[in-house]
């Protein structure tokens, strides 16, 4: 079953699709282009450059003294814009605009692009014999030492771990999981959607022996319409988070029976996940 899932994931990957004709330009769906910026960052450990996509909250330009929490999204091509995604986008920009309007939740959102054919290697710190070598340690090092400093220098952020969250789905969920465990000094929260825990048996023991630091928060989501192993694997891993200690309110597992392994499902659960991460900001006043 896991081999079949790996095959399915590869078949859905953007680099596995025939290139669109040169004149087939898709229209951007970014909610507010004036608050959307892209630039490249050198990742010296990986030895590549990578596009970073930044969505700023409404009012950012006029609020010179304001500083903002930062949410880092993996697979940045799919986060804000249908024109750069393969099978739809997360709609993180629309979600954040809505949460700001309703609850005054103002954050800077950063999408870090995946590496195309290198995605499976780059987003796991744990080895898989089929997809080796694992280059997640290098990616995580560059995320911390290259991407985050670029964001903190360029924008008015709150750089502390308590104000820094990482979000990912599928293989990106593995990177969010690893970042929470291995760099608690940088990431105070992780939102993990549909994680590919089948990828390596080494994930479980490391999670079991790595207690979360006080104040770290983790949100794990799994959909009932994904692979047969998704929900039980995610539940089992979440129990390891629970057993590792920390406050009971700092961890939550969410299962949605109709949820699939796709951007539409992750888009649907993102508002609740962000509200939980930044609780109690979304509670009625």
């Amino acid at each position: 079953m896991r081999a079949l899932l790996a095959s399915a994931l590869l078949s859905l990957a953007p680099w596995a699709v025939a290139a669109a004709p040169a004149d087939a330009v898709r229209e951007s769906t970014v909610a507010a282009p004036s608050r959307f910026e892209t630039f490249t960052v050198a990742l010296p450990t990986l030895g590549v450059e990578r596009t970073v996509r930044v969505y700023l909250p409404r009012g950012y330009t006029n609020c010179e003294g304001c500083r903002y929490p930062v949410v880092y999204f993996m697979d940045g091509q799919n986060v804000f814009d249908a024109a750069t995604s393969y099978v739809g986008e997360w709609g993180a920009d629309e979600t954040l605009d809505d949460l700001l309007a309703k609850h005054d939740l103002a954050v800077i959102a950063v999408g870090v692009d995946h590496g195309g054919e290198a995605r499976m290697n780059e987003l796991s710190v744990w080895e898989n014999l089929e997809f080796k070598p694992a280059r997640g340690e290098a990616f995580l090092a560059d995320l911390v030492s290259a991407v985050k400093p670029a964001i903190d220098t360029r924008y008015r952020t709150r750089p502390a771990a308590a104000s820094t969250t990482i979000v990912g789905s599928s293989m990106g969920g593995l990177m969010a999981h690893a970042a929470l465990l291995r760099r608690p000094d940088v990431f105070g929260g992780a939102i993990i959607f549909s994680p590919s825990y089948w990828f390596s048996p080494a994930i479980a023991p490391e999670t079991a022996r790595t207690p979360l630091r006080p104040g770290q928060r983790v949100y794990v989501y799994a959909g009932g319409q994904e692979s047969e192993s998704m929900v039980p694997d995610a539940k089992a891993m979440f129990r390891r988070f629970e057993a590792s200690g920390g406050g009971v309110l700092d961890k939550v597992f969410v299962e949605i029976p109709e949820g699939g392994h796709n951007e539409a499902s992750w888009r649907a659960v993102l508002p609740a996940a962000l509200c939980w991460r930044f609780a109690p900001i979304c509670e009625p006043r």
Side-chain angles (χ1 to χ4, degrees):
M1 173 58 68
R2 293 181 179 183
L4 288 174
L5 177 57
S7 176
L9 289 173
L10 286 172
S11 70
L12 289 174
W15 58 88
V17 182
D23 58 350
V25 177
R26 290 182 290 175
E27 184 176 354
S28 174
T29 59
V30 173
S34 64
R35 291 188 275 113
F36 183 63
E37 302 177 2
T38 65
F39 56 95
T40 60
V41 175
L43 306 185
T45 312
L46 280 176
V48 299
E49 288 190 342
R50 196 57 51 80
T51 297
V52 174
R53 306 168 191 273
V54 180
Y55 194 74
L56 299 171
R58 187 189 67 249
Y60 176 89
T61 301
N62 297 325
C63 191
E64 295 183 2
C66 297
R67 303 189 75 86
Y68 301 86
V70 182
V71 180
Y72 289 88
F73 289 84
M74 301 297 94
D75 297 319
Q77 296 98 321
N78 302 332
V79 175
F80 306 109
D81 195 350
T84 58
S85 69
Y86 167 51
V87 285
E89 46 136 336
W90 284 46
D93 44 348
E94 289 89 351
T95 291
L96 289 169
D97 281 355
D98 188 56
L99 291 176
L100 178 56
K102 292 180 178 178
H103 305 291
D104 293 328
L105 174 57
V107 306
I108 295 171
V110 179
V112 183
D113 279 16
H114 64 66
E117 293 182 0
R119 179 175 181 269
M120 302 289 281
N121 307 85
E122 289 182 2
L123 291 181
S124 178
V125 302
W126 299 282
E127 192 87 349
N128 177 294
L129 292 179
E130 184 176 353
F131 299 105
K132 65 181 184 181
R135 304 205 69 197
E137 278 286 1
F139 180 90
L140 180 56
D142 286 333
L143 183 62
V144 169
S145 64
V147 177
K148 187 176 186 298
I151 296 298
D152 290 337
T153 299
R154 192 173 182 127
Y155 302 102
R156 297 191 306 278
T157 69
R158 297 179 189 169
S163 299
T164 307
T165 302
I166 184 168
V167 183
S169 64
S170 195
M171 290 299 297
L174 289 196
M175 180 49 62
H177 186 123
L180 193 72
L181 296 183
R182 297 192 177 191
R183 295 307 307 261
D185 57 317
V186 177
F187 298 101
I191 295 174
I192 302 171
F193 290 163
S194 306
S196 299
Y197 289 142
W198 58 268
F199 195 78
S200 173
I203 304 170
E206 180 171 346
T207 304
R209 66 175 181 263
T210 309
L212 298 182
R213 287 192 181 180
Q216 278 193 301
R217 295 171 64 80
V218 59
Y219 182 108
V220 180
Y221 156 82
Q225 301 304 309
E226 302 188 60
S227 70
E228 293 179 3
S229 64
M230 177 60 73
V231 170
D233 281 359
K235 281 184 176 178
M237 198 67 69
F238 182 76
R239 285 194 290 269
R240 295 181 180 93
F241 277 125
E242 290 184 306
S244 71
V248 65
L249 297 179
D250 293 333
K251 310 173 191 72
V252 67
F253 177 82
V254 174
E255 176 187 352
I256 297 184
E258 65 273 19
H261 198 87
N262 51 57
E263 280 71 17
S265 295
W266 303 324
R267 178 173 185 154
V269 76
L270 182 61
L274 290 170
C275 277
W276 180 86
R277 171 64 181 100
F278 293 100
I281 198 166
C282 292
E283 293 180 0
R285 300 174 183 177

